[in-house]
Amino acid sequence: MKLKDRLPTRRAETVEAPLSFDKRRSLSLLRMPLKRCLQIIALAILLLVLSGCSSADQNSGQWSAPGVTLAVEPAGGAKEVTSGVQLLVLLTVLSLAPAILMLATSFTRIVIVLSMLRSAIGTPTIPPNQVIVGLAMVMTFFIMSPVYTTIDQEALQPYLKGEIDQSTALEQALQPVREFMFAQTREKDLQLFVDLSGQESPQTLDDISTIVLLPAFVISELRTAFIMGFVIYIPFLIIDIVVSSILLSMGMMMLPPSLVALPFKILLFIMVDGWYLLIRSLSLSFLQ
């Protein structure tokens, strides 16, 4: 066998002729991703629809497209403008509803006491935050139910029947909430915000505005919640001290006292029926 038969034969390299501009453009369009092609097609359809729309009528303020008509009409009078402003104010109030629920009701005191109980036991994640907030909201609706009933009977139902106007309904709905806040607010806190507002000394409770009453109610609730939290902390703190002293006397300094004290805290809380006492105390604190 000859040597040239053993050597691999090289394939002939074909030299392609340079493509023209039109061919390169068509190839680039073919290589374009499908998503990009769909976007271009959708844009072309949108431009086609917009180009088919009729021109705007300056007198009537209407814009029309195939199957679609958009009309902009001027306000019929001051009454329609006032209704629009009232709707805007109502939407703003609804957006502030969570803050009002937390600050103008019993929610603040309840959620702080429950959170301090969880910290006193030594379980920062049990019960979870969702359970704490949910229980606080349920207790809030329960405690505030007489106030909500009064609002429904004196403000909401007469307004729905057309017996009173909107401003009167708002005033009558605010009055039970103000009475609840006045009952839970200290005179010292109320006097503080009256002095800070620069108002004259009020003769009656009706002379105090809600803007002054609300922050005074909030700081009074915070003070009451911290007092209840302090009382809750005392028995669990005693358990921590006793367990730490025992471990120190036994020479077990490397063993965390909180780990040993946790079962005894839970056992104490169960034996005294802690949830019953706590919920009862929270409920009665708003009735005094």
Side-chain angles (χ1 to χ4, degrees):
M1 184 180 294
K2 297 182 179 180
L3 182 60
K4 65 179 181 178
D5 295 335
R6 297 180 181 178
L7 295 177
T9 58
R10 296 181 60 185
R11 297 181 180 178
E13 297 181 356
T14 59
V15 180
E16 297 181 356
L19 298 176
S20 61
F21 176 75
D22 295 336
K23 291 183 178 180
R24 289 198 303 268
R25 185 177 181 182
S26 60
L27 288 176
S28 61
L29 291 176
L30 290 176
R31 295 174 182 173
M32 186 178 299
L34 179 60
K35 184 178 179 181
R36 181 66 175 174
C37 294
L38 293 177
Q39 292 177 354
I40 295 176
I41 294 173
L43 181 60
I45 294 175
L46 179 61
L47 294 176
L48 183 61
V49 171
L50 292 178
S51 64
C53 296
S54 60
S55 60
D57 189 356
Q58 299 296 333
N59 297 326
S60 61
Q62 294 185 355
W63 289 265
S64 61
V68 179
T69 302
L70 176 63
V72 180
E73 298 180 357
K79 185 176 180 180
E80 294 185 3
V81 176
T82 305
S83 300
V85 174
Q86 291 176 353
L87 179 61
L88 179 61
V89 173
L90 179 61
L91 293 176
T92 304
V93 172
L94 290 178
S95 65
L96 298 176
I100 297 174
L101 175 63
M102 289 188 294
L103 298 180
T105 61
S106 59
F107 180 84
T108 302
R109 183 189 303 184
I110 296 173
V111 74
I112 290 177
V113 171
L114 293 178
S115 300
M116 295 187 72
L117 169 67
R118 185 174 61 178
S119 300
I121 295 177
T123 55
T125 58
I126 300 175
N129 292 330
Q130 294 84 351
V131 176
I132 294 294
V133 175
L135 180 58
M137 292 186 65
V138 171
M139 289 297 301
T140 299
F141 286 121
F142 174 76
I143 294 172
M144 300 294 295
S145 58
V147 178
Y148 298 151
T149 303
T150 305
I151 293 174
D152 181 68
Q153 294 176 354
E154 298 182 359
L156 182 59
Q157 294 301 327
Y159 175 72
L160 295 178
K161 295 177 181 179
E163 299 176 358
I164 57 177
D165 56 359
Q166 184 176 0
S167 59
T168 306
L170 290 176
E171 292 178 359
Q172 294 184 2
L174 188 60
Q175 190 62 31
V177 180
R178 285 172 54 89
E179 293 177 359
F180 172 80
M181 289 192 291
F182 275 123
Q184 308 299 328
T185 305
R186 296 191 308 165
E187 294 183 3
K188 181 178 180 181
D189 298 331
L190 198 57
Q191 186 64 40
L192 170 64
F193 286 96
V194 169
D195 296 338
L196 292 177
S197 63
Q199 299 179 1
E200 298 181 357
S201 180
Q203 302 298 326
T204 61
L205 296 180
D206 294 335
D207 298 335
I208 301 176
S209 62
T210 307
I211 299 178
V212 174
L213 175 59
L214 184 59
F217 169 75
V218 172
I219 64 173
S220 297
E221 287 293 286
L222 292 175
R223 178 180 180 274
T224 305
F226 274 78
I227 291 175
M228 297 182 69
F230 171 77
V231 175
I232 292 173
Y233 253 96
I234 295 301
F236 300 109
L237 180 61
I238 294 175
I239 294 178
D240 284 333
I241 294 175
V242 171
V243 171
S244 299
S245 301
I246 294 175
L247 292 178
L248 185 61
S249 63
M250 296 176 64
M252 298 181 180
M253 294 178 292
M254 301 301 295
L255 186 62
S258 59
L259 182 63
V260 180
L262 179 59
F264 295 100
K265 291 180 181 179
I266 297 176
L267 180 62
L268 173 65
F269 190 72
I270 294 174
M271 291 179 61
V272 301
D273 201 358
W275 288 113
Y276 170 81
L277 294 177
L278 181 64
I279 298 302
R280 182 177 181 272
S281 301
L282 282 172
S283 301
L284 293 178
S285 65
F286 289 98
L287 300 178
Q288 298 177 355

